[in-house]
Amino acid sequence: MSKKKSEFVTSRIERLSYGGFFVGQNIIYMIVLQFLTIFYTDELGLAPAAVGTLFLIARVWDAINDPMLGALVDRFNFKGGKFKPWINAATVLLPLATIAVFYNFNGSPTTNLIYAYITYILWGMIYTISDVPIFALATAMTDNLDERVSIISIGRVAAGIAGLVGGIVAAPVIASFGYTKATILLAAIALITMIPIRFFTKERVVYERKEKVTLRSMVEAVYRNKYLMIFYAAYIIMVGLNTASIVGVYFVTYNLGKFELYAITALAGMLPMLIVPILLPALVRRFGKKNTFLFSAAFGIVISLIQYFLGYDNFALYLAFTALKGFSLYTPMMMMGLFSADCAEYGAYVTGKRNEGITFSIQTFSSKLGTAFAGLVGTWLLGFFGYVANVEQTARALEGIWLMMTIIPLIGMVIGFIIIAVFYDLKESDVESMIKEMKDKESITNKEEF
């Protein structure tokens, strides 16, 4: 049975420093998510199709290296802990890699493209080093399911704050200082917020790994964890078709005609990132993870369809529907850690091996794959609809951007809804029973060995 909140073993400062890492990490993530595509096309002069191909190749490489990095996390137990040493390294490396990604040394188109490949792929690998251990750390801080929900929800609230910073503050800062200087400033802020986790978090739940991590065990950890594959199949499709996250800057620049409006539209869309995590623990306890996920997706489908037909001539109405749509677009993202934690326990139950690193590397890989696929679809569709950088767009291009803001994400939500509704059956009560049974088996084994 789960403990009550009063029995939580983690301190408030520990949970807040955990959230602080998410602030810094997600300031960086949102800058890359929202501005890298337009930086490549409008600042470096890369063709949309070339940018889309870059995203695709980078994700193919992620398919190889993300599970490998996750396996390294599982395999090594350093003196400072299983997860914290990786987090400590990423605290410094991730801001530096982000600055490198947004650096423009005014090279030739070929040189710029080669540099983009090197820095973006390197950034993705370093991001994995930050993302896999930070989510897995929650499972090492406590084995209390309610406390894990609380810790991960704090991280999601922090991510929401970072989203506001990345979306609202970044646009005017970029307009004033340019991409490189703005990135240096925001990366420095990210570094400051991530540092406290080094000093205040503690790994309490330690599982002894008796077997080596091999390629076979890595594959087994994934293919025998059916719920992990089901959830992230739905997630990749939903994120991968959320082209609004890619063309939002293009929309305000060309459809609305003013880049500076991005701060207002970002604020409307990201406010739910602050509200949902606060409500999420109560919603999950009341309705369960699956039902919460399904309701948010269904809500987003309806709102997106209405918004498409209403259009964007009425700016205030557009902002209102963008805010409503934000609840459905960000809720699945905020629930990733919750589903992954349950899937990690299910995987340990069915395989008899704890593979948190590999499990959470699938989360990181899915997030990056979905985002990159959105970039791929978004940039290819920009080319298909006739987008040309830094000129007035045709009516066809403007309509294409509007479709990518509304209907394409709607299709992803429909598919994700169907997958989770039909195939995902792992309940919270099942996970609690699995944890109890594994503890009982471990206790019996330890007594027999003694």
Side-chain angles (χ1 to χ4, degrees):
M1 182 177 292
S2 299
K3 300 175 183 178
K4 296 179 180 179
K5 277 191 176 182
S6 60
E7 298 173 356
F8 284 2
V9 298
T10 54
S11 66
R12 180 175 296 178
I13 187 65
E14 188 174 5
R15 294 194 291 271
L16 289 176
S17 64
Y18 179 86
F21 185 90
F22 276 90
V23 171
Q25 184 200 44
N26 283 274
I27 287 174
I28 287 171
Y29 177 78
M30 295 304 291
I31 295 170
V32 172
L33 174 66
Q34 296 175 335
F35 298 104
L36 186 60
T37 304
I38 198 168
F39 172 75
Y40 281 158
T41 59
D42 289 24
E43 185 79 6
L44 296 188
L46 303 180
V51 176
T53 303
L54 162 60
F55 290 151
L56 177 62
I57 292 174
R59 293 297 75 82
V60 170
W61 169 241
D62 279 342
I64 300 171
N65 83 82
D66 274 13
M68 292 172 61
L69 291 171
L72 287 176
V73 173
D74 279 332
R75 183 167 187 173
F76 291 104
N77 253 322
F78 299 100
K79 184 177 180 181
K82 182 176 181 180
F83 305 116
K84 283 192 63 177
W86 300 94
I87 294 170
N88 293 341
T91 298
V92 177
L93 294 176
L94 188 59
L96 292 176
T98 306
I99 294 170
V101 164
F102 280 97
Y103 183 72
N104 180 10
F105 54 85
N106 297 313
S108 67
T110 301
T111 303
N112 285 341
L113 184 59
I114 293 172
Y115 179 78
Y117 267 91
I118 294 171
T119 54
Y120 182 62
I121 290 174
L122 182 62
W123 180 89
M125 295 176 66
I126 294 173
Y127 189 85
T128 298
I129 293 174
S130 79
D131 208 44
V132 172
I134 190 61
F135 280 100
L137 180 62
T139 68
M141 291 168 67
T142 177
D143 60 1
N144 181 340
L145 292 185
D146 286 342
E147 192 169 10
R148 286 181 183 177
V149 170
S150 175
I151 292 170
I152 294 174
S153 294
I154 288 173
R156 296 294 84 195
V157 171
I161 295 172
L164 291 177
V165 172
I168 298 171
V169 177
V173 172
I174 290 170
S176 300
F177 298 103
Y179 284 98
T180 301
K181 291 181 180 178
T183 303
I184 291 173
L185 175 61
L186 293 170
I189 295 171
L191 173 64
I192 292 170
T193 64
M194 291 191 289
I195 285 176
I197 198 171
R198 172 191 291 267
F199 303 102
F200 296 110
T201 56
K202 181 179 180 181
E203 296 185 26
R204 297 176 179 82
V205 183
V206 179
Y207 300 98
E208 182 182 357
R209 174 170 287 280
K210 299 180 180 180
E211 68 283 334
K212 275 189 174 183
V213 178
T214 63
L215 177 61
R216 180 177 179 179
S217 66
M218 290 166 56
V219 174
E220 181 185 48
V222 176
Y223 86 79
R224 290 191 63 187
N225 197 328
K226 63 178 181 179
Y227 292 114
L228 183 71
M229 292 190 291
I230 290 169
F231 175 76
Y232 281 108
Y235 182 82
I236 289 170
I237 292 171
M238 292 178 71
V239 175
L241 292 179
N242 182 22
T243 47
S245 64
I246 302 300
V247 300
V249 180
Y250 293 88
F251 173 74
V252 297
T253 302
Y254 296 105
N255 292 60
L256 300 182
K258 195 172 183 181
F259 174 81
E260 288 76 11
L261 286 177
Y262 187 73
I264 301 174
T265 59
L267 174 61
M270 293 178 185
L271 275 178
M273 292 183 70
L274 296 178
I275 299 171
V276 172
I278 297 172
L279 303 176
L280 198 56
L283 290 173
V284 169
R285 284 194 295 270
R286 178 69 177 85
F287 302 107
K289 298 180 185 68
K290 177 178 177 177
N291 290 334
T292 302
F293 182 100
L294 292 177
F295 175 79
S296 68
F299 182 73
I301 291 167
V302 174
I303 293 298
S304 296
L305 190 61
I306 295 174
Q307 186 181 42
Y308 172 74
F309 286 108
L310 287 176
Y312 51 88
D313 290 336
N314 186 323
F315 185 59
L317 190 62
Y318 166 77
L319 290 178
F321 272 83
T322 297
L324 290 174
K325 190 167 61 176
F327 284 96
S328 62
L329 292 176
Y330 290 114
T331 296
M333 181 183 72
M334 295 173 187
M335 296 182 73
M336 276 196 309
L338 305 182
F339 278 98
S340 292
D342 283 358
C343 291
E345 299 297 346
Y346 174 80
Y349 181 79
V350 297
T351 66
K353 303 172 186 176
R354 301 205 66 86
N355 294 295
E356 292 97 337
I358 295 174
T359 299
F360 284 95
S361 73
I362 297 301
Q363 171 178 306
T364 303
F365 167 68
S366 299
S367 181
K368 290 196 294 184
L369 177 62
T371 301
F373 189 67
L376 177 69
V377 174
T379 51
W380 283 2
L381 285 177
L382 281 172
F384 174 77
F385 287 116
Y387 169 80
V388 179
N390 299 311
V391 300
E392 184 176 349
Q393 303 302 316
T394 64
R396 181 169 180 264
L398 295 177
E399 174 63 17
I401 292 172
W402 183 234
L403 285 170
M404 287 186 277
M405 290 291 293
T406 53
I407 298 301
I408 304 300
L410 180 154
I411 295 171
M413 285 186 280
V414 170
I415 298 173
F417 180 95
I418 293 171
I419 291 174
I420 296 297
V422 175
F423 299 106
Y424 191 91
D425 295 321
L426 185 62
K427 302 179 181 65
E428 285 77 4
S429 58
D430 297 332
V431 177
E432 290 188 348
S433 298
M434 290 172 188
I435 291 175
K436 183 178 184 303
E437 185 175 336
M438 286 187 290
K439 281 185 175 181
D440 291 342
K441 286 181 180 179
E442 184 178 359
S443 178
I444 293 172
T445 301
N446 290 338
K447 287 180 180 179
E448 289 177 348
E449 290 178 352
F450 180 77

